[in-house]
Amino acid sequence: MSNKFWKFSNPVLFKKLSGLISPLAGIIAILAIIPGLVWGVFFTNPDYKQMETVKIIFIHVPAAFLAINIYLMMTITSLIWLVRRHYVSALAAKSAAIIGLTMTIVTIITGSLWGSSTWGTYWVWDPRLTSFAILLCFYVGYILLWQAIGSLEKAANITSLFCIIGSVFALLSRYIVFFIDQGLHQGPTLSLDQEKNIDNSYYFPLILMLIGFSSLFIYLVLVRTTTELNKFKLKGVG
Amino acid sequence: MLNILKLEFLIVLRSGSHIGLAFSFFLFFMLLFALSSLGNSSFLSGLGLTAVWLSLLMSILLTLNKIIHEDFKSGVLEYLLISDIPIEVTLFCKTLVHWVSVVIPLLIVTPLVLITFQISSDNVAKVVFILLLGSPSLSFIGMMISCLTLANRSSLLLTTITIPFYFPTLLLGIFCCASTNNNLIAFEYLLLYANTLFTIVISPYISAYAIKLNYS
């Protein structure tokens, strides 16, 4: 099993596999995001208190979910690069970073729009908002470091180490921020504990959107990694 | 290890114009805070703790390129790598010397500066104590990041990339300084000490790994 998995670290095989998976993921993304949005926005009842603005949740929550998990994915692929030195792994982290940055920015923008109508202000230094600002800093630092260093192998080494240390310090800052202040933001919207979940009429479109955003991410990261691999190959030839 | 420490101290003392620079920078930066509060004393005393932490952080941040980048440029680092002494020990000593040479002079003048910020004198002792125990982590984190950026030694890059790693220390430090709890082994203080110890332990190993990655 493990041999079968690692054999896709070969760029040629990886490109073949990603050529198979990425259209599939793209189709799933379209099939989930469009119905999810239509269902969420037009066929759910507005909240009794927040009225229609509550529907921002269908963008906000999936984006936040991805923003955090993409950093986790980058940490894992960085670790794989440092241990097994597969170029695919390093380049996947590189191409995921910009998507993660975008998702973080989307989360912050939708969140502040939501905040302006429910809390009466675009931004407060609430723990959850602060930890997203911190996450944004780490994404930006990671991308800056990739741009600053010329040789691919060196850059991959250094950014991988940055990503791994960064994940530790980002988590540390997050827990310290939460220790200092409890804040305005509500608790988790989705959890495995059924009692705490939001109402079913919101739950199902939200899950659809989560699936859609995740497959959009898979599609984008596969396409971008293939592009990076091709670029690397062109540089090697030229 | 004592020999390395002695050697590093001598190098810093004989070549180290950055000690005086960091010292003056700290005072000037504090002066900026004081001036920007326009003589409003209630604003000033609220600003004091933030000002002292930020000035300390900035003076460490701006001297980071003196720790290892110059050794890398002059080729000394390669000799340190192949010498008998483990590179981790050397790096630990280098960081310790950096911290002592930059921060200790600042901590000596900090009480005087804090008094001008209208902070009560029994609070001043606590703030200096917390700075003493909290700031080593700034130097040790800086060591890690400056080893990471050996491939591109632009000081702006180093400064920008180090800042996110300073969040935990800065948050805890200011929180502890502002805390009214005078029991110095209360939970928040313990968190600060833990943060310092954690960075001191991981920093030499990660720095050594980063240097080896750079030479490979």
Side-chain angles (χ1 to χ4, degrees):
Chain A
M1 160 64 208
S2 66
N3 273 334
K4 270 182 190 162
F5 176 68
W6 290 120
K7 108 184 160 197
F8 290 109
S9 62
N10 177 337
V12 178
L13 282 179
F14 172 81
K15 268 190 252 177
K16 236 180 223 167
L17 183 73
S18 87
L20 279 176
I21 294 178
S22 60
L24 211 66
I27 291 168
I28 294 176
I30 294 171
L31 285 184
I33 288 177
I34 294 176
L37 264 186
V38 171
W39 184 4
V41 174
F42 297 109
F43 298 100
T44 53
N45 296 317
D47 185 72
Y48 77 101
K49 213 174 184 179
Q50 306 184 14
M51 309 307 287
E52 298 286 347
T53 50
V54 75
K55 288 168 184 173
I56 293 176
I57 197 174
F58 297 114
I59 305 285
H60 183 69
V61 170
F65 168 82
L66 273 188
I68 294 166
N69 285 300
I70 288 173
Y71 203 88
L72 183 70
M73 171 254 173
M74 278 160 55
T75 312
I76 293 168
T77 47
S78 301
L79 206 63
I80 292 174
W81 159 256
L82 285 180
V83 176
R84 296 188 62 111
R85 314 205 69 85
H86 300 312
Y87 280 98
V88 170
S89 179
L91 291 173
K94 183 187 180 183
S95 40
I98 197 92
I99 307 170
L101 179 70
T102 317
M103 289 299 169
T104 315
I105 293 173
V106 166
T107 311
I108 288 174
I109 291 175
T110 53
S112 61
L113 288 177
W114 198 353
S116 77
S117 71
T118 49
W119 298 338
T121 168
Y122 284 103
W123 187 268
V124 278
W125 288 101
D126 166 88
R128 272 168 201 267
L129 282 71
T130 314
S131 47
F132 260 79
I134 292 169
L135 189 65
L136 186 74
C137 292
F138 280 100
Y139 273 123
V140 170
Y142 182 84
I143 292 167
L144 283 179
L145 209 50
W146 261 108
Q147 285 179 349
I149 298 164
S151 109
L152 181 107
E153 194 159 346
K154 220 170 226 181
N157 281 338
I158 286 163
T159 50
S160 300
L161 199 51
F162 176 89
C163 185
I164 293 164
I165 314 169
S167 65
V168 174
F169 277 85
L171 267 183
L172 214 74
S173 330
R174 183 197 181 275
Y175 283 108
I176 289 167
V177 166
F178 269 77
F179 166 70
I180 289 174
D181 181 17
Q182 291 306 311
L184 281 172
H185 198 289
Q186 65 165 51
T189 312
L190 299 172
S191 63
L192 296 175
D193 182 10
Q194 275 292 326
E195 290 288 302
K196 285 182 188 164
N197 273 339
I198 50 169
D199 191 67
N200 272 348
S201 65
Y202 278 80
Y203 184 72
F204 293 115
L206 192 54
I207 290 294
L208 207 58
M209 286 302 285
L210 274 177
I211 294 170
F213 265 63
S214 307
S215 14
L216 180 68
F217 166 66
I218 292 171
Y219 170 71
L220 286 175
V221 86
L222 285 178
V223 169
R224 285 181 59 86
T225 311
T226 312
T227 317
E228 291 287 342
L229 277 171
N230 288 338
K231 254 194 203 160
F232 178 48
K233 200 175 161 193
L234 278 176
K235 237 185 219 169
V237 172
Chain B
M1 188 168 150
L2 275 178
N3 283 335
I4 312 171
L5 271 178
K6 219 165 111 188
L7 183 73
E8 289 295 330
F9 262 118
L10 276 179
I11 292 175
V12 166
L13 280 181
R14 289 187 186 154
S15 73
S17 60
H18 71 271
I19 303 176
L21 272 176
F23 187 77
S24 326
F25 177 81
F26 177 78
L27 291 179
F28 291 0
F29 208 68
M30 291 294 281
L31 186 63
L32 275 186
F33 276 101
L35 289 178
S36 64
S37 66
L38 300 172
N40 184 339
S41 69
S42 65
F43 189 48
L44 195 67
S45 61
L47 204 64
L49 301 175
T50 315
V52 74
W53 264 101
L54 277 184
S55 313
L56 191 79
L57 190 147
M58 289 304 284
S59 26
I60 291 181
L61 199 58
L62 293 176
T63 48
L64 281 182
N65 56 351
K66 302 281 179 200
I67 307 186
I68 196 96
H69 282 187
E70 297 197 338
D71 284 337
F72 180 77
K73 229 189 302 178
S74 61
V76 175
L77 198 56
E78 286 165 52
Y79 286 93
L80 292 177
L81 264 179
I82 56 174
S83 76
D84 287 339
I85 309 155
I87 183 76
E88 287 87 357
V89 176
T90 322
L91 293 176
F92 176 80
C93 293
K94 273 183 177 302
T95 325
L96 198 64
V97 169
H98 172 261
W99 179 73
V100 169
S101 64
V102 171
V103 174
I104 295 295
L106 302 188
L107 287 183
I108 293 169
V109 291
T110 303
L112 297 177
V113 177
L114 280 177
I115 286 168
T116 67
F117 272 78
Q118 320 293 343
I119 288 172
S120 64
S121 52
D122 46 335
N123 225 356
V124 166
K126 198 186 93 178
V127 171
V128 173
F129 178 74
I130 286 168
L131 281 174
L132 184 69
L133 291 185
S135 58
S137 76
L138 298 177
S139 276
F140 280 91
I141 292 169
M143 182 61 165
M144 281 193 310
I145 309 301
S146 49
C147 287
L148 266 182
T149 54
L150 282 179
N152 182 339
R153 292 185 304 285
S154 131
S155 67
L156 188 59
L157 178 76
L158 173 62
T159 317
T160 315
I161 287 187
T162 315
I163 288 175
F165 291 88
Y166 280 172
F167 291 154
T169 313
L170 186 72
L171 283 168
L172 273 179
I174 292 181
F175 185 65
C176 288
C177 283
S179 161
T180 48
N181 194 341
N182 276 325
N183 174 15
L184 283 175
I185 48 169
F187 189 61
E188 58 259 38
Y189 302 109
L190 289 182
L191 273 180
L192 182 79
Y193 312 149
N195 175 56
T196 308
L197 290 175
F198 171 69
T199 46
I200 289 179
V201 170
I202 65 165
S203 162
Y205 293 100
I206 290 181
S207 316
Y209 186 57
I211 290 175
K212 281 170 194 161
L213 280 182
N214 236 302
Y215 277 113
S216 64

